[in-house]
Amino acid sequence: MVSVLQLQVEDPEHTFLTPQELAEQLGLCVSRLSAWRQHGGGPAFVKLGRSVIYKVADIERWLDASTRSSTSDAPIPRGRRVP
């Protein structure tokens, strides 16, 4: 089965997803998002106290940057984010 990620919202700069919602949309485990937050490689996130949320606009940018035409395309750099 193929699932399609649809994040059509009125204002992606002011719309947020929880890690649970994003994991469900991407078909991932919440623990994968947690690992990306710790080690880099995933979408940018916002930390509010103990809560983590993802801005839809940041998710879309990350997906665009992660898009490849083939497996031989250059890999995404895996550096830490600079605040």
Side-chain angles (χ1 to χ4, degrees):
M1 180 174 106
V2 175
S3 64
V4 177
L5 176 64
Q6 294 180 329
L7 296 175
Q8 299 296 327
V9 293
E10 292 295 321
D11 184 2
E13 285 293 330
H14 296 96
T15 304
F16 299 89
L17 297 177
T18 65
Q20 293 78 14
E21 292 168 331
L22 180 56
E24 184 177 311
Q25 289 286 325
L26 296 176
L28 301 171
C29 295
V30 175
S31 62
R32 167 54 44 203
L33 295 174
S34 178
W36 281 339
R37 287 193 304 272
Q38 291 176 359
H39 306 290
F45 61 94
V46 178
K47 182 96 166 148
L48 300 170
R50 291 182 166 184
S51 299
V52 171
I53 54 176
Y54 293 89
K55 190 186 302 185
V56 170
D58 290 336
I59 297 165
E60 291 172 347
R61 280 188 284 274
W62 174 72
L63 287 170
D64 287 343
S66 300
T67 301
R68 299 288 179 258
S69 298
S70 73
T71 56
S72 62
D73 284 353
I76 300 168
R78 294 204 47 153
R80 292 195 181 267
R81 275 192 204 95
V82 177

